[in-house]
Amino acid sequence: MNYNRRKKNSSTLTIHVMCAIVFVLFSLAWLYFFQADVMAMTQYELSGGLTHYNAAVGALIITVLLYLLQLVVYAVTRLKKRSHALTYVPSMLILAMLTDVSQQIASDGDVDHTISWWLVVLIILVWGGLVFLARQFQQVEDDDSYSFVSPAMWINMLTMSLLMMGVAWLGNTNAVFHYRMQTEALLARGEYEKALMIGKKSLESDNHLMMLRMYALARTDGLGQHLFEYPVSADSSEILPTNGKVRMMLCPEDSLYRFLGARPAEKMEPERYLLMLLRRDSVPRRTIGDYLLCSYLINKDIDRFAREVGRYYVVNDSLPKHYREALTLYIHQRSNPLFVTHFTVTEEDFNNFREMEREYPTLSERKGKIGEQYRGTYWYYYKYE
């Protein structure tokens, strides 16, 4: 009996099992915890909204299929010992491509990929060269121990680590895009409060995410109270998807239009659409008013805001926070305001804000120090963003 052969097979099996465990755990974690929202969006778009992605089932099926592909690659290449991890390159490459979705999907509706096909071809060619060299070296490689602490094991683990980093590098790791997908998924389920928690502490945003947050705030009657607690990264032409500058994917736009009262018959600017809605009796007038008032504040047009706020609210201490802040700022900046009113607590806070401005002479220092205390107020947005 050949006991040396049995020992060698048992040792190389350890490497095979360790590589398989690393791959399966990474693939499941990558798909379930980090890319489930991107996969859900991709399937929704490709199916025209007819099917929905299940994160757990999808991660399991994809991982199994990619592992079966690795087994086929191993059966063809027979790479063992120090080079066994190279058999996972095709599976890792496909995993990266599945999650390499471009943010451009927001504007054209197609599922695009940022990775170039020439790069894919180059990776395959380089991998093929490495497989050829590994097979030649494998024939003369010493049959030393392949235990958990052997050089061969560490070489394979290093290779697997590099492959995992490559997947992370090629896949979509844009934080704002993931915030957007998670927010849309929650909006589609009607979980508006949870949607507002996504990325709340981050200063990163874009026009699409701002539009989604405004919708969630409108659903929870919080536009005038909380809008400027989030990064405002667009102007008033992008607060609604009426003109095509922003769009919704996982959450149907019809849900937004039903909430506001009517779907626009053609592309138009959000302000025109909102003013047209006000002519109807069946629309939520206060909500439409909040959208209009917030659009004026986003554009820093506090004069128009001051003229219009009385159409939707009684001007007293019950006004939403940002409206009180905007009126306080307006009264202090205009020598002949339309009206004079005082919100005691807000007035005191604004005086503290101005005192802090006088304490720091340079803009960068002033912006940083005031931001620590007043970021999330309309005053900070108006003066420093």
Side-chain angles (χ1 to χ4, degrees):
M1 297 178 68
N2 191 339
Y3 295 100
N4 290 334
R5 169 63 64 180
R6 185 189 307 170
K7 178 180 178 181
K8 186 182 80 169
N9 287 342
S10 176
S11 299
T12 55
L13 179 62
T14 303
I15 291 178
H16 293 190
V17 171
M18 284 300 299
C19 287
I21 291 174
V22 170
F23 172 76
V24 169
L25 291 179
F26 172 74
S27 178
L28 289 174
W30 179 251
L31 291 169
Y32 184 79
F33 293 107
F34 298 102
Q35 299 292 332
D37 46 8
V38 172
M39 296 298 294
M41 177 273 298
T42 301
Q43 179 168 324
Y44 186 86
E45 288 290 323
L46 291 177
S47 68
L50 298 178
T51 61
H52 296 272
Y53 178 78
N54 183 289
V57 175
L60 182 61
I61 291 176
I62 293 172
T63 299
V64 169
L65 292 176
L66 292 179
Y67 182 65
L68 291 176
L69 173 62
Q70 182 273 333
L71 293 178
V72 172
V73 173
Y74 171 68
V76 173
T77 63
R78 307 305 299 176
L79 290 179
K80 306 175 182 179
K81 306 177 183 178
R82 290 173 172 82
S83 57
H84 179 68
L86 288 177
T87 61
Y88 286 89
V89 170
S91 297
M92 288 289 200
L93 180 59
I94 293 175
L95 183 61
M97 293 176 66
L98 285 173
T99 56
D100 170 47
V101 177
S102 170
Q103 281 78 262
Q104 292 302 316
I105 188 171
S107 59
D108 57 27
D110 295 325
V111 179
D112 296 328
H113 296 272
T114 58
I115 187 172
S116 302
W117 285 108
W118 66 264
L119 180 59
V120 175
V121 173
L122 179 62
I123 291 173
I124 294 175
L125 290 176
V126 171
W127 172 71
L130 291 174
V131 169
F132 175 78
L133 293 176
R135 283 176 59 86
Q136 303 307 310
F137 180 74
Q138 188 171 267
Q139 297 176 10
V140 297
E141 185 178 347
D142 293 335
D143 292 333
D144 296 330
S145 172
Y146 300 113
S147 65
F148 287 104
V149 294
S150 66
M153 179 66 77
W154 285 109
I155 290 173
N156 277 283
M157 291 300 100
L158 176 60
T159 303
M160 294 298 292
S161 299
L162 292 174
L163 291 177
M164 289 186 288
M165 287 189 287
V167 172
W169 176 59
L170 292 174
N172 189 318
T173 56
N174 182 275
V176 174
F177 191 70
H178 283 273
Y179 294 155
R180 179 184 169 193
M181 294 301 102
Q182 294 169 33
T183 299
E184 286 214 37
L186 291 168
L187 289 177
R189 297 198 295 267
E191 300 180 45
Y192 307 113
E193 294 286 356
K194 289 184 179 180
L196 290 170
M197 298 303 297
I198 301 298
K200 185 173 184 179
K201 295 183 180 180
S202 174
L203 297 180
E204 297 181 276
S205 184
D206 64 7
N207 53 349
H208 304 282
L209 183 56
M210 189 193 83
M211 178 269 295
L212 295 172
R213 284 170 170 165
M214 289 188 70
Y215 174 44
L217 286 169
R219 281 284 193 173
T220 56
D221 197 27
L223 269 174
Q225 187 73 18
H226 301 293
L227 174 60
F228 295 97
E229 296 173 4
Y230 299 89
V232 175
S233 51
D235 57 34
S236 62
S237 68
E238 296 169 314
I239 63 174
L240 290 169
T242 55
N243 55 9
K245 291 184 178 180
V246 291
R247 68 183 293 255
M248 303 167 78
M249 292 183 290
L250 293 176
C251 179
E253 292 181 2
D254 282 342
S255 64
L256 169 61
Y257 293 133
R258 282 196 302 269
F259 171 64
L260 293 178
R263 184 181 184 89
E266 59 185 19
K267 286 187 177 181
M268 62 181 70
E269 291 302 309
E271 182 177 347
R272 181 188 169 203
Y273 166 71
L274 293 168
L275 291 174
M276 290 177 64
L277 285 178
L278 286 176
R279 301 173 189 170
R280 302 167 62 101
D281 296 330
S282 58
V283 301
R285 183 178 177 84
R286 176 65 64 84
T287 301
I288 305 302
D290 280 333
Y291 263 104
L292 285 168
L293 293 174
C294 286
S295 73
Y296 306 147
L297 294 183
I298 289 172
N299 289 344
K300 301 183 180 181
D301 190 352
I302 56 176
D303 292 285
R304 190 172 184 187
F305 170 81
R307 290 196 303 269
E308 298 293 330
V309 66
R311 295 181 59 187
Y312 311 102
Y313 287 90
V314 177
V315 180
N316 55 31
D317 286 334
S318 66
L319 276 175
K321 179 183 69 173
H322 294 318
Y323 297 170
R324 296 196 308 271
E325 292 169 347
L327 284 178
T328 301
L329 178 66
Y330 164 78
I331 291 169
H332 280 271
Q333 287 199 342
R334 300 295 182 264
S335 58
N336 188 26
L338 293 176
F339 51 82
V340 177
T341 186
H342 295 283
F343 312 104
T344 306
V345 176
T346 307
E347 185 81 23
E348 182 179 348
D349 213 17
F350 183 65
N351 289 334
N352 294 334
F353 176 85
R354 293 199 297 176
E355 287 179 10
M356 286 192 67
E357 284 189 309
R358 289 190 287 268
E359 289 179 16
Y360 303 101
T362 63
L363 176 61
S364 58
E365 186 180 18
R366 188 163 62 246
K367 182 178 179 179
K369 293 294 183 180
I370 293 177
E372 294 176 3
Q373 185 170 341
Y374 287 98
R375 187 184 300 276
T377 66
Y378 183 68
W379 307 321
Y380 185 84
Y381 169 79
Y382 185 87
K383 292 200 170 185
Y384 299 107
E385 292 187 353

